[in-house]
Amino acid sequence: MNGFGVRTGTGARRVGVAGRVLLVGDVITDVLAVLAAPLARGTDTPAAIRFTGGGQAANTAAWLTTQSVPVTLVGAVGDDAAGRDRIAELTAVGVDCAVRTVTGVGTGTVIVLAGGGERTMVTERGANVRLRPEQVDAALAEAPEASHLHLSAYTLLDPESRPAGRHALAAARERGLTTSVDAASAAPLRAVGSAAFLSWVRGVDLLLVNTDEATVLAGGLDPAAQGRALAATARRVVVKRGGAGATWVERTGTVVTSPARRVAVVDVTGAGDAFAAGLLAAWLAGATPEAALNRATDLGAAAVSQVGARPVA
């Protein structure tokens, strides 16, 4: 327990990396509708609907526990049943939750329309915008064994939570942790502008972008060229290309590509978050880029083969 929120979880899974991974970002309730047919605008579309845990940082934390990586999640929820449920389910899978409970604001909620190998999100970030720099400092102080900090860029893309995101990267570097950022989403990236975003993440060890995000940040180039352009900002860049695989580019000039796994796609919600977890688990354990991409694509394939953004027990 600390002055900024609730700390829960056993942290019992402690093999695979040199130290704990801190994840900073959103905790969300997903209202997930897996459409049975293409969306019929202005009328009814049948779907299977469920309420599930979501949020980019929370999802990645949950997937990391399947790789036996000890993780601490730094975030914020509302003082409501949804917030309590989100913390409980993350704690149950071994995530240490350094999560602030904010009164007077609801836990973030996203309506996800999934179908045809895509998903569209309608977002209310709720308490997530109340993430504060002091929470990051408290979590770092209480996890001296941490070796890496992973930031969901949703924190940077909202002006209210941006100070916490920028502080997280700076504080991690000051303490000698490696850092990574997932670029999060193309539309809000476009809204803040590529120059501003790249200035905020300059110097990170690893930047993850999907094809749309890479286009916003680097233009309509081929993935290797996008990676090389973004490697002026980050030491390593991974361009996630969905069914076309992924490309790893290092500032040193190394370029590695990996094909996607061929699986039946059920729901792509959270696939990028699972991919990030596999990549981090392998890379932080000393794997080569090829091996890290292979682990990432394995988890991404597992994610699209099920319904929902979190691993199925």
Side-chain angles (χ1 to χ4, degrees), residues 268-307:
V268 298
T269 309
D273 308 335
F275 179 101
L279 190 81
L280 289 173
W283 175 58
L284 293 172
T288 64
E290 294 90 342
L293 286 177
N294 284 336
R295 180 86 65 87
T297 53
D298 283 345
L299 261 64
V304 302
S305 302
Q306 62 171 46
V307 175

Side-chain angles (χ1 to χ4, degrees), residues 117 211 240-246 258-263 265 268 297 304:
T211 300
K240 302 174 289 182
R241 303 165 58 206
S258 175
R261 302 289 181 265
R262 299 301 177 189
V263 297
V265 176
V268 298
T297 53
V304 302

Side-chain angles (χ1 to χ4, degrees), residues 23 56 60 148-154 157 179-186 189 197-198 201 204-215 217 227 230-231 233-241 246-249 271-281 283 292-293 296-297:
L23 296 101
Q56 188 174 70
T60 300
H148 184 81
L149 183 141
H150 179 70
L151 176 70
S152 165
Y154 282 113
L157 298 176
T179 56
S180 56
V181 174
D182 193 312
S185 183
L189 272 177
F197 178 79
L198 292 175
V201 301
V204 299
D205 295 287
L206 177 63
L207 175 64
L208 291 87
V209 292
N210 67 22
T211 300
D212 291 340
E213 295 152 6
T215 299
L217 296 174
L230 294 174
T233 295
R235 293 181 176 86
R236 301 162 191 84
V237 178
V238 173
V239 181
K240 302 174 289 182
R241 303 165 58 206
T247 300
W248 171 298
V249 180
D273 308 335
F275 179 101
L279 190 81
L280 289 173
W283 175 58
L293 286 177
T297 53

